[in-house]
Every structure is written in C-alpha cells, then in structure tokens.
Amino acid sequence: MDILVHCFGVSFVVGLLIAFLFKRRQRTESVCIIVLGDVGRSPRMQYHAASFAKEQYAVEIVGYKGSPPLEKLQNDPNVKIHYLHSYPDLKQNFSKTLAYTVKVIWQSTDLLYTLLFKCSSSFLLLQNPPAIPTIPICWFYCLIRKIEFAIDWHNYAYTIMALSLSEKHRLVKLATLIESLYGTKAKHNFCVTKAMQEDLKKRWNIQAQVLYDRPPEEFQPISLEEKHNFLLKLSNDYKILKGSEETSTIISKQQPSGEIELYNNRPALIVSSTSWTEDEDFSILLDALINYETECENNKNIKLPDLFCAITGKGPLKEFYQAIIKNKKWKHVKIITPWLENRDYPKLLASADLGVCLHTSSSGLDLPMKIVDMFGCGLPVCAYNFKCLHELVRHNENSLVFSDVNQLSDQLISWFKNFPNDAEQQETNKKFKKELSVFQQNRWHDNWRQTVLPCFEC
C-alpha cells in the first residue's frame, strides 16, 4: 500500500513539473476517451467515440491494442487512437504484490506521458473500472491542464477485485478509496442503470446521469437470405454447420431458383457471449446443455431438435472450458466457440433462435450489453437473474429469466419443444419480438445525444 501511494506521489510531482511547460488550451470540440484495456473489446466507449465523431468532435482514444476497433473508428479522420505500451507480465517470477506494483507504476507513467505529450483535447471521458491507476492519473491531468473530467461508471472496480481477493484485502480497500475520493471530483458522471445511479448517490454522494446501453444500427434483424449466407460463410471454419449440399447449411438450402428454404426438421441455434471470467459462470449453461442432452435421449414423448450452441468471446477461462467441451460425447448438442469480426457478430445474433446470458455482475448494479445487442437483433434471451436485471429484461414479457441450472434447462426444453412448429412457442416468440421491436426504436446515438452531448457542448 505504501509503495503504491509513493508511486502515485512521484508520478503526480513529475507530471506537475512537466505541466508548467505547457500553456492552457482553449476550449474546443475535442474529447479524449480513456480505456485502460483492449480498445476493441470496449464497445460502450467505442460507441461514445463514434457518437462524438458523428457530431464533428475531434476524438482521441487512449487504450491498449488487441482486438480491432470498430471500422467506423479506424476510418474516421476525426478519430485518433493512441495505444499504450503493454506492461510486463511478472506474475511467474515475482509475488502478486510486487508484480501488481510494477504494473501500476508502468501504467501510471505510460498513461500520464501519453496524456501530456500526445493528447490535446478539451474534455476527458474515462471508463471505470479499472480505477487504479486511471482515475487519479486522469483527474490530476485534468486538474493541471484545466480541462473537464467525466467518468462513465460501468461497474465498481472494488467489487470486481473482491471476486479474486477478499473484501478486506488492502488493494480492494485502495480501489474503494480511490473511487469514492476521485469520483466526486468529476464534473460529469454517467452510469448504466438507475440502481447504480441511486447507489452512487447514497454511497459517495456522486450525482450521475443514467445512460442506458442501446444497440447501434448494426444490430438489426436480418433476412433469411442473409442468415443463410452468413452461416454458409461460417461453415468454412466450422464444418459442423455445413449442410449435405454445396450451397446448404444445417438449417437451410438454396433452391435452383436461388430462393432460400429452411429445413422443417432442422436443428436449433442458440448463442451466448461470455467474457469467460468468474463473474459469468459458464458451468451453468454447460450443465443445462447436459440436462438437455439427457432429455433428448431419455424422453421420447417430447420432440426436441438437436442444439447447436455458439459461444463467443475471449477470456482467461476459455481454454479450461474448451477442454471440458472437447471431452463431451454428445449426440444432440454441439458447441462451437468462434471469435468473430465486428461485422459478423450482429449477424450471428440475428441468425440464432435464442440467446443465453450468464452475466451476474460483481456489484449487481450493471446490465449486460450482450443482451442489448441481442435485443437489437430481435433475439429473445434466457438471462441469469440478479438485482437490477428488471431494468432491461422482463420475465415472460420480452424474454425469460432464470436463477439456477434447472430453470435454464426447463426453459430450453420448453422453448424448443416441437421446434419449429409448436403453436404455443410461436405465439410466445411473437409476443417477445413485438416487445423487442419497441426496444429497437431507441438506438445508441439518439439516446446518447439526449443524455451525453449537452454536457460536452462548448
């Protein structure tokens, strides 16, 4: 703890001395967006950047290189991305505390240097979490350069840290202190739910505006022909999606006339996007699929289709679960784990028959953007229940909510009973999609323009 405090102090003093060499900037329509993570895997902050650029702001993004950013950001002349240098991984050779200390020093120095010497914006918008070292560094930079400081609260850093550490751990306490102390110093605060808005006010007296996630225009329902062509393309990498004919998939074929026809006795496609981390327990879905397989084998009174399950995403537990999946000898369930380009992910969602969300939230105060994306494509979901999920998912109104493996198993079996011709299921699906069509009318940019843009107008 003492080392970290000392490091922050050194960084601040060095930055202060350097800052005296700079003149105060004039207020302009320019914004710097900070993501202390993979820029390409930070959709909400990318959407912020795209909306600012659409409103003719000069946009600078600071973050780490990894997955490709949205094409609209790569090709927009108003957008400039400053990539930070990857920090050294010392976990194998040093203690966790020492490795973390070096990481914080590295990130603090690199971030402060990038802000001082490469950025020239009048506003700064920071993603939280992580809080260390981002919030104090960015606040300090805004203070000495006299520019406006804003935080977009996606979750709490201290609750995420507490998943792998104890709540009493000194790093968790430090994260809590930083969030509570520096969060109050931001001129503008945005958050993802009303529940978080109320908690920020009650916990730290932080006044935040709710900016709900909404799908951008790319997340739309697609035609049968588009579904067919997408699955045909995906079958080049995943042969189990390939049909028996050259221009066919497991669910559809192309007639000599060029018309696309769905097979009546086709398998069902479900999709789930996961970060493969502790706050999304993939074993719940895995166990539910085991139950589904058992039901297909043992209960001949119910007609159930084979299930093809596409699990997207990257994360630390992916290889662990891939090894488990590989050992399964299922007859009726198949799982693929693709990593898709940004342009293809919405097509996968729009091609599926049902989505599954395992997000539980470390704080219970944020909502999963993956459901927002699914809703944008008109895809109903089975979503794991937690504190504020009702702000997005309403059970039996626009989708289904489950609390354990058995409930998810029952929902999968009920949803796909006599698929695709069960009259009751078709009626439920029609009701859900009608509700989702209303949700789709409020897209990201219009929502953003009403809530965020007024705070940054010169």
Side-chain angles (χ1 to χ4, degrees):
M1 179 78 76
D2 292 339
I3 296 177
L4 289 177
V5 173
H6 177 70
C7 292
F8 282 133
V10 171
S11 297
F12 287 170
V13 171
V14 172
L16 186 59
L17 292 173
I18 295 173
F20 280 123
L21 301 177
F22 291 79
K23 293 182 180 180
R24 180 178 179 177
R25 298 192 189 100
Q26 292 183 344
R27 188 180 175 92
T28 59
E29 290 188 340
S30 57
V31 61
C32 182
I33 295 175
I34 308 296
V35 179
L36 204 69
D38 184 344
V39 172
R41 293 179 65 191
S42 304
R44 182 174 164 103
M45 301 310 287
Q46 290 185 87
Y47 298 163
H48 274 297
S51 285
F52 275 116
K54 190 172 183 177
E55 297 296 330
Q56 301 305 310
Y57 276 64
V59 180
E60 296 177 300
I61 305 174
V62 177
Y64 288 103
K65 184 179 291 187
S67 304
L70 298 174
E71 287 187 19
K72 65 178 72 174
L73 297 181
Q74 298 182 55
N75 301 327
D76 195 317
N78 287 332
V79 177
K80 183 184 297 183
I81 303 178
H82 304 294
Y83 285 115
L84 298 170
H85 299 89
S86 298
Y87 47 86
D89 186 2
L90 304 176
K91 292 180 181 178
Q92 294 182 347
N93 300 320
F94 298 95
S95 67
K96 287 184 178 181
T97 302
L98 180 58
Y100 186 77
T101 301
V102 173
K103 174 184 173 182
V104 169
I105 295 172
W106 180 286
Q107 290 181 322
S108 300
T109 305
D110 196 21
L111 178 58
L112 190 57
Y113 175 86
T114 301
L115 289 172
L116 288 171
F117 290 99
K118 296 183 180 181
C119 297
S120 57
S121 296
S122 297
F123 304 94
L124 185 145
L125 176 61
L126 162 69
Q127 172 186 282
N128 184 69
I132 303 172
T134 1
I135 296 184
I137 292 293
C138 290
W139 165 79
F140 177 71
Y141 168 74
C142 291
L143 177 68
I144 62 176
R145 300 310 304 273
K146 297 181 173 60
I147 66 176
E148 291 188 10
F149 179 39
I151 300 176
D152 191 12
W153 297 81
H154 298 193
N155 202 344
Y156 294 149
Y158 80 91
T159 62
I160 293 177
M161 282 184 159
L163 291 175
S164 54
L165 306 170
S166 70
E167 293 184 2
K168 297 181 179 180
H169 195 281
R170 55 186 177 179
L171 288 179
V172 175
K173 291 182 177 180
L174 178 62
T176 306
L177 175 63
I178 287 175
E179 287 182 302
S180 63
L181 177 62
Y182 292 97
T184 59
K185 299 181 183 299
K187 182 171 183 179
H188 306 290
N189 286 278
F190 307 99
C191 61
V192 293
T193 63
K194 289 182 180 178
M196 181 173 283
Q197 180 189 46
E198 293 168 359
D199 192 74
L200 282 167
K201 171 63 177 175
K202 180 180 178 181
R203 186 182 300 272
W204 298 320
N205 199 30
I206 293 174
Q207 303 280 356
Q209 292 180 267
V210 179
L211 175 67
Y212 280 122
D213 285 317
R214 284 294 184 268
E217 295 297 330
E218 302 92 291
F219 290 88
Q220 294 272 2
I222 61 177
S223 67
L224 176 57
E225 183 178 2
E226 289 174 303
K227 291 180 184 180
H228 176 81
N229 291 334
F230 168 71
L231 292 176
L232 201 60
K233 173 186 173 182
L234 196 60
S235 69
N236 292 328
D237 295 321
Y238 299 92
K239 302 301 181 185
I240 61 173
L241 299 177
K242 187 74 174 176
S244 57
E245 302 175 21
E246 184 64 26
T247 58
S248 67
T249 72
I250 55 170
I251 68 167
S252 58
K253 66 177 180 180
Q254 186 175 24
Q255 301 281 28
S257 64
E259 184 179 357
I260 305 301
E261 180 183 87
L262 284 170
Y263 294 123
N264 190 50
N265 190 28
R266 64 181 180 272
L269 176 62
I270 66 174
V271 63
S272 181
S273 177
T274 177
S275 57
W276 302 100
T277 55
E278 291 88 349
D279 64 342
E280 291 186 0
D281 187 358
F282 180 71
S283 66
I284 294 174
L285 177 56
L286 194 61
D287 290 342
L289 293 175
I290 292 173
N291 293 343
Y292 186 91
E293 171 77 15
T294 303
E295 191 74 11
C296 289
E297 283 288 290
N298 298 337
N299 192 345
K300 303 304 180 183
N301 296 323
I302 301 179
K303 180 189 173 186
L304 292 172
D306 290 347
L307 272 190
F308 280 73
C309 187
I311 313 294
T312 69
K314 291 181 179 179
L317 297 178
K318 184 172 183 177
E319 291 184 1
F320 171 78
Y321 281 111
Q322 280 180 320
I324 295 176
I325 293 167
K326 189 176 181 180
N327 291 327
K328 296 296 181 184
K329 307 300 180 184
W330 287 331
K331 295 180 182 179
H332 304 282
V333 176
K334 304 294 182 185
I335 298 178
I336 59 173
T337 55
W339 176 250
L340 302 172
E341 296 178 3
N342 287 324
R343 69 179 74 174
D344 286 338
Y345 178 59
K347 295 178 182 178
L348 175 63
L349 300 185
S351 299
D353 299 297
L354 185 67
V356 176
C357 178
L358 306 170
H359 182 86
T360 56
S361 175
S362 61
S363 65
L365 300 173
D366 68 311
L367 292 170
M369 185 174 281
K370 64 201 70 179
I371 294 182
V372 175
D373 295 339
M374 291 175 183
F375 281 5
C377 294
L379 180 65
V381 304
C382 295
Y384 194 96
N385 196 18
F386 62 92
K387 184 178 178 180
C388 66
L389 185 66
H390 65 276
E391 293 189 37
L392 178 62
V393 181
R394 302 186 304 276
H395 183 63
N396 270 334
E397 290 186 33
N398 61 11
S399 280
L400 300 172
V401 173
F402 64 91
S403 298
D404 55 40
V405 171
N406 291 332
Q407 285 186 356
L408 177 57
S409 302
D410 291 343
Q411 289 173 4
L412 292 178
I413 293 168
S414 175
W415 189 264
F416 292 115
K417 181 182 65 176
N418 298 322
F419 178 85
N421 299 314
D422 185 77
E424 183 179 349
Q425 190 278 334
Q426 287 179 343
E427 192 62 31
T428 301
N429 196 14
K430 182 179 178 181
K431 180 180 74 170
F432 288 177
K433 286 183 179 293
K434 184 178 180 180
E435 289 292 323
L436 298 186
S437 68
V438 176
F439 178 87
Q440 293 160 17
Q441 293 173 11
N442 187 10
R443 294 285 171 169
W444 167 268
H445 185 71
D446 291 338
N447 188 46
W448 177 92
R449 203 172 189 278
Q450 293 176 7
T451 305
V452 177
L453 183 59
C455 300
F456 293 85
E457 289 178 329
C458 292

